[in-house]
Amino acid sequence: MNAPAKIETTLKDWETDQEVRWCPGCGDYAILKAVQRTLPQLGADPKNTCFISGIGCSSRFPYYMETYGFHTIHGRAPAFATGVKLANPDLDVWLVTGDGDGLSIGGNHLMHVLRRNVNMQIMLFNNEIYGLTKGQASPTSRVDTRSPSTPLGSVDRPANPCAFALGAGARFIGRGIDVSKHLPDVLKAAHAHQGAAFIEIFQNCIVYNKDVFDDFAKPKGAEQQQLWLTPGEPMLFGSEKTGGVKGIRLNQQSLSLEVVDVPDGDWEKAGVLVHDATNRTLAHMLVELPFGEFPMPLGVIYDDPAPTFEVAVHDEKRRASEGKDNSLAKLLAKGQTWTVSGTAADPV
């Protein structure tokens, strides 16, 4: 597969003439701008880029990107995206889905695009609610969420998108927040990864689930509630202004993670872990951390590339045809065939 040549573009080159239609204040606006600002920095080419979505508020995304795109059917965007990537592996494919579209009706399709490791970026907008269909509880809604479908409060245990992706075999897991300045860095890391790159983006639904992520996404006090992970860097959070610098350490006895104070910034003495993004066991531990006891892990949680599906498929096709005559006419004439001579006027 050939890496496309990088070109120079600006944000304007990625904007369409379509009116962006989300509710005022919706987090999707911020995600859209983050993507449109990131693509020029990647040297991406709009003519070589394709956005594919399913059904939901997030799935309006392709209309607002000056690229190729498909607005497909509920939950089936991964199947369409796989077909696109197999037909043209050199295309830069971005899949856009939501917590309902991707984890409910589309859960099976999402699982297979991850386990197959098809080379694309998968952005799952998680607002913990069904926004487009007027606020019903979604697979990620928290226990006791009151909605039209759960008027007495949801009794379901919510799905954990990153844990699901890891369990399905994903080789890249990232997390971001719609309005965070760090979101483009996560998108860049996902794009650099060769394979299925899964990014969960916490997105504020201003109408049906307003401020549900304020416990860790609100700017005030965010340093104490957000653990931004960078491969090769210590797992630190907090600041002296917000209660002191803290870190994440491995408890050698329980083999579990724990929060420790980091006095004087000496993280090595405190035993703080350096983030190893290739450690799958560590990734599982991070995405399962209970928020409240721990800060919310964000950034690049796992990044360990493996051979991709479309490369394997095309290599298999090449091997199957080596040394063989690819003539369709000869193939059709092979075996039990016969020729009918004469004309329609000849007697039978």
Side-chain angles (χ1 to χ4, degrees), residues 67 76 110-111 123 133 168 181 201 205 210-212 220 227 230 233 244 257 276 279 312 318:
T67 66
R76 273 63 177 184
L110 183 58
M111 176 184 73
M123 298 188 295
T133 51
K181 65 181 180 180
I201 305 175
C205 178
K210 183 181 179 183
D211 301 334
V212 70
K220 186 176 181 180
L227 173 64
T230 302
E233 297 293 329
L257 300 181
D276 178 4
N279 188 324
R318 176 183 51 78

Side-chain angles (χ1 to χ4, degrees), residues 143-270:
V143 174
D144 292 331
T145 296
R146 292 180 179 270
S147 76
S149 60
T150 56
L152 300 180
S154 174
V155 297
D156 280 352
R157 291 180 58 196
N160 181 329
C162 288
F164 169 87
L166 273 171
R171 310 293 302 190
F172 180 100
I173 302 292
R175 264 201 194 130
I177 302 171
D178 50 11
V179 296
S180 172
K181 65 181 180 180
H182 300 297
L183 180 57
D185 294 330
V186 182
L187 298 175
K188 290 174 189 175
H191 190 267
H193 176 89
Q194 292 299 299
F198 179 85
I199 314 113
E200 177 186 14
I201 305 175
F202 293 113
Q203 181 262 333
N204 186 29
C205 178
I206 197 74
V207 175
Y208 297 110
N209 216 15
K210 183 181 179 183
D211 301 334
V212 70
F213 303 119
D214 265 6
D215 46 4
F216 64 84
K218 203 171 184 178
K220 186 176 181 180
E223 298 94 338
Q224 290 294 122
Q225 306 301 332
Q226 299 176 8
L227 173 64
W228 282 96
L229 299 162
T230 302
E233 297 293 329
M235 296 185 185
L236 298 172
F237 64 99
S239 67
E240 295 300 336
K241 295 180 180 179
T242 59
V245 177
K246 300 181 184 297
I248 303 297
R249 179 176 68 186
L250 178 67
N251 185 307
Q252 298 292 338
Q253 293 184 327
S254 64
L255 295 180
S256 59
L257 300 181
E258 61 185 7
V259 175
V260 293
D261 292 321
V262 184
D264 303 319
D266 193 345
W267 59 268
E268 290 179 294
K269 184 178 179 180

Side-chain angles (χ1 to χ4, degrees), residues 9-318:
T9 60
T10 67
L11 182 149
K12 294 292 184 182
D13 294 314
W14 299 88
E15 295 179 334
T16 70
D17 60 358
Q18 300 297 298
E19 178 188 359
V20 181
R21 298 182 65 184
W22 285 308
C23 300
C26 175
D28 288 356
Y29 286 99
I31 301 172
L32 175 65
K33 285 304 175 187
V35 173
Q36 290 173 335
R37 290 191 179 100
T38 300
L39 288 168
Q41 297 174 29
L42 297 173
D45 185 347
K47 296 178 182 178
N48 196 62
T49 305
C50 184
F51 280 81
I52 299 174
S53 64
I55 295 296
C57 296
S58 63
S59 294
R60 299 184 63 81
F61 216 88
Y63 295 106
Y64 309 137
M65 297 299 302
E66 190 60 44
T67 66
Y68 292 104
F70 290 94
H71 186 182
T72 70
I73 53 181
H74 208 186
R76 273 63 177 184
F80 283 84
T82 298
V84 168
K85 195 66 180 179
L86 287 175
N88 188 349
D90 294 334
L91 277 180
D92 187 9
V93 176
W94 294 74
L95 192 156
V96 184
T97 187
D99 48 304
D101 181 63
L103 294 174
S104 185
I105 191 171
N108 191 51
H109 292 276
L110 183 58
M111 176 184 73
H112 293 305
V113 78
L114 292 169
R115 72 169 181 84
R116 285 172 173 151
N117 199 33
V118 187
N119 189 18
M120 65 181 71
Q121 297 73 238
I122 302 166
M123 298 188 295
L124 186 141
F125 298 11
N126 182 11
N127 56 20
E128 297 188 359
I129 208 76
Y130 279 103
L132 185 67
T133 51
K134 307 301 183 284
Q136 301 93 330
S138 84
T140 58
S141 295
R142 304 177 193 186
V143 174
D144 292 331
T145 296
R146 292 180 179 270
S147 76
S149 60
T150 56
L152 300 180
S154 174
V155 297
D156 280 352
R157 291 180 58 196
N160 181 329
C162 288
F164 169 87
L166 273 171
R171 310 293 302 190
F172 180 100
I173 302 292
R175 264 201 194 130
I177 302 171
D178 50 11
V179 296
S180 172
K181 65 181 180 180
H182 300 297
L183 180 57
D185 294 330
V186 182
L187 298 175
K188 290 174 189 175
H191 190 267
H193 176 89
Q194 292 299 299
F198 179 85
I199 314 113
E200 177 186 14
I201 305 175
F202 293 113
Q203 181 262 333
N204 186 29
C205 178
I206 197 74
V207 175
Y208 297 110
N209 216 15
K210 183 181 179 183
D211 301 334
V212 70
F213 303 119
D214 265 6
D215 46 4
F216 64 84
K218 203 171 184 178
K220 186 176 181 180
E223 298 94 338
Q224 290 294 122
Q225 306 301 332
Q226 299 176 8
L227 173 64
W228 282 96
L229 299 162
T230 302
E233 297 293 329
M235 296 185 185
L236 298 172
F237 64 99
S239 67
E240 295 300 336
K241 295 180 180 179
T242 59
V245 177
K246 300 181 184 297
I248 303 297
R249 179 176 68 186
L250 178 67
N251 185 307
Q252 298 292 338
Q253 293 184 327
S254 64
L255 295 180
S256 59
L257 300 181
E258 61 185 7
V259 175
V260 293
D261 292 321
V262 184
D264 303 319
D266 193 345
W267 59 268
E268 290 179 294
K269 184 178 179 180
V272 173
L273 288 171
V274 172
H275 183 37
D276 178 4
T278 66
N279 188 324
R280 193 173 188 85
T281 300
L282 178 60
H284 274 286
M285 296 170 74
L286 287 167
V287 300
E288 295 284 3
L289 288 178
F291 179 74
E293 300 175 39
F294 292 85
M296 178 60 68
L298 300 160
V300 178
I301 297 172
Y302 182 61
D303 186 358
D304 189 20
T308 64
F309 181 67
E310 72 282 357
V311 169
V313 168
H314 281 266
D315 282 348
E316 182 181 60
K317 180 180 178 182
R318 176 183 51 78

